[in-house]
Amino acid sequence: MAEDYSYLGSGIIVIREWNTADPFLEIGNVSAYTVAPQTNTLELADYQNPGGGTASRVDRVTGYNLNYTFHDFNPENFARATRGKASSIAAGTVPDELVLAVPGSYAPLSRLASEVTAVKPVTGATAYEAGKDYRFERGMLFIPAGSAIVAPSVAGTPNIKVTFKNAELGHVEAAVTSQKFYEMQFYGANEARGGKMVRLVAHKVTGGVIESMGLIGNEFGAGSVPGALLKDASKATGQDISAYFYWQQEK
């Protein structure tokens, strides 16, 4: 009786920029990882019989799509999928930041604040009263109606200075880099075969762009990233060695 090679997989994906010696980083919790060959079908009709049919057919592989869906919304994953750059902002205090504040509206700050320690007029030293003249909400300020803070005489001109603290922050500047290529490796377990190990190594993957960023919803966030495998001629070191990817599994 032939051995059962049913497959039900789970595992991790590690990634690094292609053609570098960078360390591999784990993408995190990934719910989908698929390699999908794309084909162009060429058919020759059977012209010898009145009933028709196909005399010959060739399915030419035109490419390989590689798609994955991540659930760890960390700066590195976002930067990779938005053609951005990730960085860290150290925890600290920002003194006397100039801010535009208008009663009845929010006043965003340059960073997500963890605490506001002082709010003063731009030209004065007497601090406004927390809870009355302003409220600290959602990492920024809200200026209630009846606040002693008045709208600036020149629209758009900062009229308060804010001193606040911020926790360590992850930061991504999106759409500031060109497309990159990556090397991706999948290490998994086939649960249908008692956890036997499997591995897929993709040599060169286009850095796809996230299809959407669902920041509000009724389900856990998911970042779906479509990409494709490209030929890496340096990996094809022999006639039977692929320039695209290879698969390994425990027997």
Side-chain angles (χ1 to χ4, degrees):
M1 181 177 178
E3 186 171 351
D4 180 10
Y5 277 92
S6 301
Y7 181 79
L8 177 63
S10 59
I12 69 170
I13 299 167
V14 295
I15 189 169
R16 71 178 177 186
E17 194 170 334
W18 174 73
N19 205 25
T20 70
D22 293 345
F24 281 97
L25 301 177
E26 185 182 351
I27 291 177
N29 194 20
V30 174
S31 62
Y33 186 66
T34 59
V35 175
Q38 307 298 299
T39 59
N40 178 33
T41 300
L42 304 175
E43 292 185 339
L44 176 65
D46 180 0
Y47 297 104
Q48 294 177 303
N49 296 295
T54 302
S56 187
R57 167 176 166 150
V58 174
D59 294 317
R60 286 184 172 173
V61 176
T62 58
Y64 295 92
N65 289 344
L66 188 152
N67 304 331
Y68 67 95
T69 301
F70 67 85
H71 296 272
D72 284 4
F73 279 29
N74 58 46
E76 291 76 18
N77 283 344
F78 266 138
R80 197 179 296 118
T82 60
R83 296 189 181 169
K85 286 190 175 182
S87 61
S88 293
I89 298 175
T93 298
V94 178
D96 291 341
E97 179 173 294
L98 299 181
V99 176
L100 170 64
V102 177
S105 65
Y106 284 95
L109 305 172
S110 61
R111 302 176 182 178
L112 275 172
S114 58
E115 179 185 353
V116 170
T117 57
V119 178
K120 301 177 182 179
V122 168
T123 58
T126 302
Y128 291 111
E129 185 178 345
K132 179 182 178 181
D133 297 321
Y134 67 90
R135 297 199 299 264
F136 176 52
E137 296 183 7
R138 303 175 188 267
M140 56 182 170
L141 298 182
F142 178 77
I143 314 301
S147 169
I149 299 173
V150 296
S153 56
V154 179
T157 303
N159 55 338
I160 62 173
K161 52 187 178 183
V162 182
T163 298
F164 64 92
K165 296 180 180 180
N166 65 275
E168 183 179 5
L169 301 172
H171 186 84
V172 175
E173 293 287 346
V176 296
T177 67
S178 60
Q179 174 178 282
K180 294 184 177 180
F181 304 105
Y182 297 95
E183 181 180 351
M184 301 179 73
Q185 298 193 13
F186 166 70
Y187 291 84
N190 185 353
E191 298 178 54
R193 299 189 67 230
K196 287 185 178 291
M197 291 188 296
V198 297
R199 179 191 190 198
L200 188 143
V201 174
H203 299 313
K204 186 178 182 181
V205 182
T206 60
V209 178
I210 192 169
E211 290 183 318
S212 65
M213 296 170 63
L215 301 182
I216 294 179
N218 295 320
E219 299 180 354
F220 286 103
S224 180
V225 183
L229 291 174
L230 299 180
K231 182 177 181 179
D232 184 350
S234 68
K235 296 296 192 297
T237 56
Q239 183 176 352
D240 297 325
I241 305 298
S242 175
Y244 296 94
F245 70 95
Y246 65 81
W247 164 263
Q248 294 177 340
Q249 65 188 92
E250 287 187 325
K251 291 189 174 181

